[in-house]
Amino acid sequence: MMLKSSTTTSNRKGDDGNSEIFISALHATISKLARKNGKYSVAGSLLILDHITSNTAIHLPINAIAKYAKDEYDMIVVVDGAHALLGLPLDMGSILSTGSGQHHGESGHVDIYLTNAHKWFSSPRGAALIFCADPEIRNSILSRPAVVSHGVDDGFLSRFLWDGCRDYAAQLSMPAIAAYWTATSVDNVRAEMQVNLKEGVRILLSRWHPGACSDGGDGADASCVEKHSAEAGLTLVPLEMHAPQMALVRLPNHISGGGEGTSSEQRNSTDAKRVQDFLYSHNIEVPIKCIRGVLYARISVHVYNTADEFERLALAALKCHPFS
């Protein structure tokens, strides 16, 4: 089912790189609050981070951000990892903080980690996971679920296990799904998704921006796409900063808009919906995102996606003229 025969992967920044960009942004935001309310107004505050951002498909370095937030401001850090299960290697031992008794130098700094199983893990809807290794937080912030039912006073697991008249089919399916991914080899699945994403981006750029990222021809060169697509304004950020299985690719110039600082008209969320609805009418399901006045297709690539699907998306978008 792969788009290309190779499953080699390049080094990704992931949780170890580009952290200074995000820490600087967090510092700037907190500094504004501090100037208004005093430095310690944020102490003990709740910081919620996306592991992979839904709107922009950026893979955040959560470990570095969480460490900064706790070391500098003693914040409680919650990570929304909705797109992370299966899509990223999740080692909760290195992600989670164990609380005030944690030894100096231990790598975990996240207090609560949440993730959905119906996205990349491919379970039925309704299955999700919550991780917390800090006994104090388990017995304070997480002492009561939103829906209280049997077993609420019988410990952390029991209080979240039963929540009324839920259909538990999604949860009961998870052992079989986990066994399938294990037998398939999770590392190979992730590698395949990453290779497929790069090839999908290359196909779209070859069709939508011919010659913009190539070695002289109209087709996009794979090496150029990986290293220079963001510099050319063709992807939102470098592929190494995007999630391994998701990216934002700029739509063809006649519909993408010019964004800030150009003579081309800026787009808005209404324009994005018009393009998305057009593609849906052609049996193509893909979110269209408006970022700083420019329209992008947020592509998501699993092991079952094929090159033909990206070709269909590319050609359909070229036929879209919603603003003429």
Side-chain angles (χ1 to χ4, degrees):
M1 289 187 290
M2 294 172 53
L3 302 185
K4 299 187 77 174
S5 59
S6 170
T7 58
T8 57
T9 58
S10 62
N11 294 328
R12 291 182 51 80
K13 295 296 185 181
D15 281 340
D16 297 322
N18 293 311
S19 59
E20 66 281 356
I21 298 173
F22 301 99
I23 289 174
S24 177
L26 177 61
H27 174 76
T29 300
I30 292 177
S31 295
K32 290 180 181 178
L33 294 174
R35 286 194 294 270
K36 182 178 181 180
N37 301 315
K39 176 179 179 181
Y40 296 101
S41 64
V42 298
S45 298
L46 182 68
L47 175 65
I48 301 176
L49 302 172
D50 286 332
H51 205 163
I52 295 173
T53 60
S54 178
N55 200 48
T56 54
I58 294 174
H59 178 193
L60 295 187
I62 58 168
N63 288 333
I65 299 174
K67 183 178 187 304
Y68 172 81
K70 296 185 80 67
D71 288 350
E72 295 295 321
Y73 301 102
D74 194 28
M75 302 178 93
I76 298 169
V77 181
V78 176
V79 172
D80 176 355
H83 284 282
L85 190 61
L86 187 75
L88 298 176
L90 297 178
D91 177 9
M92 288 301 155
S94 64
I95 291 175
L96 294 176
S97 167
T98 57
S100 57
Q102 179 170 310
H103 297 295
H104 180 72
E106 291 183 350
S107 57
H109 302 281
V110 173
D111 296 298
I112 301 170
Y113 192 100
L114 305 161
T115 185
N116 283 327
H118 71 272
K119 294 181 182 292
W120 301 97
F121 192 73
S122 304
S123 81
R125 289 186 180 183
L129 300 170
I130 180 171
F131 298 90
C132 177
D134 185 339
E136 183 178 348
I137 290 179
R138 285 187 176 195
N139 295 318
S140 56
I141 297 174
L142 299 179
S143 63
R144 285 290 185 273
V147 178
V148 176
S149 190
H150 298 290
V152 68
D153 294 319
D154 293 333
F156 180 68
L157 177 61
S158 182
R159 76 177 65 125
F160 286 96
L161 188 61
W162 302 109
D163 54 356
C165 299
R166 177 190 294 274
D167 178 357
Y168 290 95
Q171 287 87 340
L172 293 173
S173 73
M174 290 184 66
I177 299 169
Y180 172 81
W181 290 126
T182 300
T184 307
S185 174
V186 174
D187 289 338
N188 287 345
V189 168
R190 292 194 189 105
E192 187 170 329
M193 289 193 293
Q194 187 173 350
V195 170
N196 289 357
L197 177 74
K198 293 175 182 178
E199 178 63 3
V201 172
R202 190 197 66 78
I203 290 171
L204 295 179
L205 294 185
S206 295
R207 293 288 190 178
W208 291 349
H209 307 281
C213 196
S214 72
D215 55 3
D218 286 344
D221 177 70
S223 177
C224 178
V225 168
E226 185 169 353
K227 296 178 181 178
H228 305 297
S229 59
E231 295 175 15
L234 305 179
T235 57
L236 182 65
V237 296
L239 289 186
E240 65 183 9
M241 292 181 65
H242 272 306
Q245 73 279 30
M246 302 165 65
L248 264 65
V249 182
R250 183 170 179 156
L251 288 169
N253 291 332
H254 73 277
I255 53 176
S256 68
E260 299 175 357
T262 73
S263 58
S264 300
E265 182 180 356
Q266 292 192 45
R267 303 303 186 199
N268 55 45
S269 57
T270 300
D271 297 330
K273 187 177 187 306
R274 290 170 68 183
V275 176
Q276 185 167 318
D277 289 345
F278 173 87
L279 294 172
Y280 188 79
S281 71
H282 286 69
N283 299 316
I284 296 173
E285 179 73 59
V286 61
I288 302 301
K289 303 296 184 179
C290 183
I291 309 297
R292 297 179 179 174
V294 178
L295 299 186
Y296 297 83
R298 194 204 73 180
I299 59 171
S300 301
V301 184
H302 216 310
V303 292
Y304 48 75
N305 290 115
T306 65
D308 287 344
E309 292 172 324
F310 285 99
E311 291 286 0
R312 284 182 54 213
L313 168 58
L315 295 177
L318 290 171
K319 296 176 183 177
C320 180
H321 295 275
F323 313 119
S324 57

